[in-house]
Amino acid sequence: MLLKRQVLILQMIVENFINTNQPIGSKEIAKTLDYSSATIRNDMAKLEKEGLITKTHTSSGRIPSECGYRYYVDYINTSYDISAEDEKVLKSILKEKVYSEKKFLEKNAIVLSNLTDCTAVILAPTKTDKRINKIEVILLSSRSILVILITNTGEVHQQNYKMQADFTQEEIEEVNKLLKTYFYDVDMATAHVLLHKEIEKYLKERIDNYDMILIALTRLLNNKIKKTIALGGKYNLLKKPDINNLDKLKEVMTLFEEDNIIDLIDDNSKLSGTKVKIGKELDNKKMNDLSLVTSKFFSDKGEGVIAVFGPKRMNYKKVMTLINCVKDNLNNNLKE
């Protein structure tokens, strides 16, 4: 347990580093807190022993460790008041006519990235309860098939595929038997997994050129579960002094390729509420110098995710507050 005084010292060290990117020593802290430099030095030694702060070099200055940021986010309840100017910018989004969902998401992502000076991503909402009611393959000719997908909400999706080999009606009936067995009343993502585990195994045993059928089914499912993303401030991280290694910067930039970023956000936003993961907590070596704040939002159109990527010394309280403001925008204004 930390003393109240030690919590105040830790808070000052964290917030100083967030704002200045510089370490701070006991004499500087004593100018703000009503304690002696000697008392503060003793408390800093305790905080360092607990792994909450660390030295950058031989000077007396300290900066927060990952554990220090974690403690700050979890236990130091400081609020952030949005400035009148920032509030005006957030409200301005709602005054513009929304021509499409994607453009509305992009406007929110760009505003969020500008206000946080970080990289903002919004995953478009999707119906989490959408399930497959029926999927069927119809043989149009020996080298042409039609795949029909019907969801529990009554949506019908179909796609023609030209094949590079001949198929018989008996083979297609075998395919449909498997689809009927495995795909009734499963969600899209689960269907994708089943396709490449159970169904692929059985198709391989029973049908020549089974891989062509597999590709057709995969394409149809991918089209239906692919998420729309809106990205703002992709290159904001390049302006930060926190990552000064060119190779690391290149690695970070690869994270913002569409498939990578969707997987990354999905893996780190499984729970409701606003969540913060810091550095190594992200379990991705490319992100050891970064933090990620995510929050799910719920609209008439389904469940989506707002995410902000920034350096470990990002202003967490500001980012979390602004994410909640954007969440209100999306919750209230994305309609069927």
Side-chain angles (χ1 to χ4, degrees), residues 121-125 265-266 269 294-297 303-307:
V121 184
I122 300 176
L123 296 189
I265 293 173
D266 279 344
S269 61
T294 59
S295 189
K296 290 186 177 182
F297 65 94
E303 177 185 288
V305 183
I306 306 167

Side-chain angles (χ1 to χ4, degrees), residues 54-286:
T54 185
K55 288 182 182 179
T56 53
H57 42 73
T58 54
S59 76
S60 59
R62 302 292 191 279
I63 65 171
S65 65
E66 281 191 14
C67 290
Y69 284 123
R70 183 79 267 165
Y71 191 99
Y72 176 78
V73 169
D74 290 346
Y75 302 112
I76 300 181
N77 296 316
T78 57
S79 60
Y80 177 82
D81 295 322
I82 298 176
S83 68
E85 186 177 347
D86 287 358
E87 191 170 1
K88 185 178 178 182
V89 173
L90 285 163
K91 287 182 177 177
S92 71
I93 303 172
L94 304 180
K95 294 179 180 178
E96 299 180 36
K97 188 171 181 180
V98 180
Y99 291 98
S100 71
E101 174 190 285
K102 185 169 176 60
K103 286 195 177 297
F104 185 62
L105 295 176
E106 286 173 348
K107 287 179 185 295
N108 278 276
I110 290 167
V111 164
L112 184 57
S113 69
N114 289 341
L115 295 181
T116 59
D117 200 29
C118 295
T119 298
V121 184
I122 300 176
L123 296 189
T126 55
K127 291 288 187 183
T128 56
D129 59 349
K130 189 181 292 185
R131 306 175 78 82
I132 294 175
N133 193 37
K134 183 179 182 181
I135 186 165
E136 183 178 3
V137 179
I138 297 173
L139 189 65
L140 300 177
S141 70
S142 62
R143 292 200 175 193
S144 178
I145 62 170
L146 172 68
V147 183
I148 299 175
L149 170 66
I150 304 173
T151 71
N152 64 325
T153 58
E155 296 175 38
V156 179
H157 306 282
Q158 57 185 44
Q159 184 68 52
N160 287 350
Y161 296 97
K162 296 292 184 183
M163 314 303 278
Q164 301 301 312
D166 291 326
F167 286 88
T168 67
Q169 185 61 42
E170 288 73 21
E171 288 175 320
I172 298 303
E173 286 174 3
E174 190 69 33
V175 171
N176 286 327
K177 192 185 300 181
L178 287 170
L179 296 179
K180 187 176 181 179
T181 301
Y182 284 99
F183 275 10
Y184 179 71
D185 198 36
V186 297
D187 62 78
M188 298 289 190
T190 302
H192 196 280
V193 174
L194 287 172
L195 182 63
H196 289 280
K197 286 188 176 178
E198 302 296 330
I199 292 178
E200 180 175 0
K201 179 174 67 177
Y202 286 111
L203 287 177
K204 188 175 183 179
E205 293 172 357
R206 292 167 167 79
I207 298 174
D208 293 335
N209 301 305
Y210 73 96
D211 53 320
M212 296 179 190
I213 296 288
L214 203 66
I215 289 170
L217 293 169
T218 300
R219 284 177 181 170
L220 184 66
L221 288 174
N222 281 347
N223 286 339
K224 299 311 138 199
I225 64 173
K226 189 173 182 181
K227 297 181 180 179
T228 300
I229 73 167
L231 182 63
K234 178 178 179 179
Y235 298 106
N236 279 354
L237 292 177
L238 298 180
K239 299 183 291 184
K240 304 291 183 184
D242 307 75
I243 309 176
N244 50 24
N245 180 299
L246 186 58
D247 290 333
K248 278 190 176 182
L249 282 171
K250 287 178 180 176
E251 286 185 342
V252 168
M253 286 301 102
T254 64
L255 294 172
F256 298 121
E257 294 170 4
E258 187 164 312
D259 290 339
N260 290 344
I261 204 166
I262 289 173
D263 290 342
L264 188 58
I265 293 173
D266 279 344
D267 287 345
N268 289 284
S269 61
K270 297 186 183 304
L271 301 176
S272 297
T274 301
K275 304 298 175 188
V276 178
K277 290 202 173 181
I278 301 167
K280 293 184 177 66
E281 292 175 355
L282 285 157
D283 198 25
N284 185 316
K285 288 183 180 179
K286 294 179 182 179

